[in-house]
Every structure is written in structure tokens, then in C-alpha cells.
């Protein structure tokens, strides 16, 4: 079954530190992947998404992610975090092409990022 | 555009009570979804709809019902509330391509069942 895993449950950084959050997927074929962010008390919003082409994807607020097929990974990165990046980050995979009537986004369990000023 | 709106924002129910969570989108999206979010568990799909009059079960549909009489509205009904339904509920919508389209989420409803 299609799955997405995030191994870091809680990451604590100081401002200006570099960030890398891990995301691994478990299926082959066509791979589409998203990163969503949920700021405290707010709804989920899209950070970036990958479908095909350039494996380095740039998103909003200085975030980027690199799709590495050989490692089944789609890690999220930011060179220098800010206090305002404190949030929960979710990796997600949309349904696979040819996967029948599957309509759901498959979410990882999320990584809580705390950035200390 | 308001996007996806949900009401209420918070609600406390007693065991056995019923309620309807409202969801409306003004983006003319075909697809709508209901998820529940539990701490450390990510989001689980409850029900989804691919258009007015068409709904189907997701991963965790037990104890819930939905209807989709218009493109804009997708209410979620809880019958006989149980403590296991304590959660944060998110409604989402997307245009038409389930493989590539971004899902847009509402602000959520925090429900407590006591």
C-alpha cells in the first residue's frame, strides 16, 4: 500500500540554523509528493509539490525539497530558519495514477518544528 | 475568495448527541474531502465527494455521514457522538485532478466529546 513516513517527530532549532526534515515514500512508478505546513491554530497550506522534471523544487517562504528516487526520499530544507517557521510540517502523497478509485491524500504523521529565538 | 470555510470552530458534545459540521467552498471545485486530525497521527480521510450528488467513504467513515447537494457545500454529520470522535476536523477541496491538484483546507473544527 502507498505510504509516506516522516521519522522526525519533533525538531527544535535556534534561529538561523539550517533545516532538513525527512520524508520517505514506499511505492514505485509515477511519484507525486507534497509538503504542507500547519502554523499554530491555522489550517494546512501547501509549501511545495513535485510531479516530474527538476528534482529540486522550490516553494514558498524560502523552502525547497529534493526528490531523490534512489533513496525514495523527498526531504524538505531551508538554509536559515526563523521563529515564524514554528509549525507542523506534513509530507503527503496524492493518489497514484491507475490506482482505481483512491482519492485520498496519504499523509505522514507530521514533524513539529520549534524554532527558538 | 473566502476559500474553504468551516463552522463551528469549536464544539463540545455529550456522548450520544448529534451534530453537523458545515463546510463551504467558493472556488467551484469538483472534489471535496473531510479529514480528521489526531495528535501524532497525521490526517485520515473520512469521506470525499467528486461532485454534487456523489459521495464515497474514505479510511475512517464509521460514525459519520455526508451529503453533497450542491457544488459549494459538503456537510459532515456525526450521529451518536462518541469520545473516539474527539478530534480536529478539516474540510478540503480541489479542482478536478486528484493526482496533481493541490487540496485547499479550511480552518478546522475542534470537537470534544465528553
Amino acid at each position: 500500500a502507498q505510504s509516506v513516513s516522516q521519522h522526525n517527530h519533533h525538531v527544535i532549532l535556534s534561529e538561523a540554523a539550517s533545516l532538513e526534515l525527512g520524508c520517505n515514500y514506499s511505492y514505485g512508478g509515477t511519484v507525486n509528493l507534497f509538503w504542507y505546513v500547519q502554523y499554530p491554530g491555522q489550517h494546512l497550506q501547501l509549501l511545495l509539490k513535485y510531479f516530474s522534471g527538476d528534482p529540486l523544487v522550490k516553494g514558498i517562504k524560502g523552502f525547497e525539497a529534493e526528490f531523490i528516487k534512489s533513496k525514495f526520499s523527498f526531504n524538505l530544507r531551508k538554509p536559515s530558519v526563523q521563529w515564524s517557521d514554528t509549525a507542523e510540517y506534513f509530507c503527503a502523497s496524492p493518489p497514484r495514477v491507475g490506482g482505481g478509485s483512491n482519492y485520498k491524500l496519504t499523509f505522514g504523521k507530521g514533524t513539529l518544528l520549534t524554532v527558538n529565538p | 475568495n473566502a476559500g474553504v470555510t468551516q463552522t463551528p470552530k469549536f464544539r463540545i458534545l455529550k456522548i450520544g448527541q448529534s451534530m453537523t459540521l458545515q463546510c463551504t467552498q467558493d472556488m467551484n471545485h469538483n472534489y471535496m474531502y473531510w479529514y480528521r486530525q489526531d495528535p501524532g497521527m497525521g490526517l485520515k480521510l473520512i469521506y470525499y465527494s467528486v461532485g454534487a450528488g456523489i459521495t464515497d467513504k474514505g479510511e475512517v467513515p464509521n460514525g459519520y455521514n455526508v451529503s453533497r447537494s450542491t457544488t459549494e457545500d459538503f456537510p459532515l454529520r456525526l450521529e451518536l457522538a462518541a469520545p473516539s470522535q474527539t478530534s480536529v476536523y478539516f474540510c478540503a477541496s480541489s479542482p478536478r485532478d486528484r493526482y496533481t491538484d493541490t487540496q485547499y483546507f479550511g480552518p478546522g473544527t475542534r470537537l470534544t466529546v465528553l
Side-chain angles (χ1 to χ4, degrees):
Chain A
Q2 182 177 344
S3 71
V4 172
S5 59
Q6 295 177 247
H7 300 296
N8 308 109
H9 298 296
H10 191 188
V11 172
I12 302 173
L13 296 174
S14 299
E15 277 194 315
S18 63
L19 169 70
E20 182 161 3
L21 301 182
C23 172
N24 290 95
Y25 63 93
S26 66
Y27 57 95
T30 301
V31 178
N32 300 328
L33 292 163
F34 299 159
W35 273 101
Y36 279 85
V37 62
Q38 186 177 27
Y39 297 103
Q42 296 189 26
H43 61 281
L44 280 84
Q45 55 187 289
L46 185 73
L47 267 181
L48 48 82
K49 57 184 177 181
Y50 169 79
F51 297 128
S52 61
D54 189 343
L56 185 62
V57 181
K58 294 193 183 297
I60 61 172
K61 303 187 180 186
F63 286 91
E64 66 179 29
E66 186 174 11
F67 174 72
I68 303 180
K69 189 173 183 178
S70 61
K71 295 184 177 180
F72 293 85
S73 70
F74 187 56
N75 292 355
L76 182 70
R77 302 195 296 239
K78 187 171 184 179
S80 176
V81 295
Q82 301 173 313
W83 176 78
S84 58
D85 292 325
T86 294
E88 192 160 17
Y89 294 80
F90 293 91
C91 187
S93 174
R96 297 174 61 191
V97 176
S101 62
N102 179 11
Y103 282 82
K104 70 183 179 78
L105 269 180
T106 299
F107 283 89
K109 293 185 177 182
T111 298
L112 179 63
L113 172 65
T114 301
V115 180
N116 294 320
Chain B
N1 275 355
V4 180
T5 57
Q6 293 181 237
T7 56
K9 290 186 178 180
F10 304 95
R11 184 72 185 267
I12 298 174
L13 283 181
K14 294 182 179 178
I15 294 172
Q17 288 186 318
S18 301
M19 77 164 294
T20 299
L21 281 66
Q22 301 292 343
C23 174
T24 300
Q25 55 94 5
D26 63 359
M27 297 174 283
N28 200 34
H29 286 171
N30 289 330
Y31 297 170
M32 295 187 75
Y33 314 82
W34 274 106
Y35 292 90
R36 58 176 289 170
Q37 182 183 26
D38 300 301
M41 300 301 293
L43 281 79
K44 302 289 186 184
L45 183 66
I46 304 171
Y47 270 95
Y48 66 92
S49 169
V50 300
I54 307 171
T55 64
D56 207 348
K57 297 177 181 179
E59 300 173 89
V60 289
N62 290 346
Y64 307 95
N65 276 300
V66 293
S67 59
R68 183 112 181 257
S69 56
T70 66
T71 299
E72 295 78 18
D73 299 309
F74 190 41
L76 178 71
R77 176 84 177 162
L78 277 71
E79 305 282 2
L80 299 174
S84 60
Q85 293 177 305
T86 294
S87 188
V88 181
Y89 291 85
F90 289 98
C91 181
S93 72
S94 63
R96 83 179 66 250
D97 188 334
R98 57 177 153 145
Y99 305 119
T100 60
D101 282 339
T102 301
Q103 289 190 18
Y104 295 86
F105 286 80
T109 294
R110 185 174 295 274
L111 175 67
T112 303
V113 181
L114 300 174

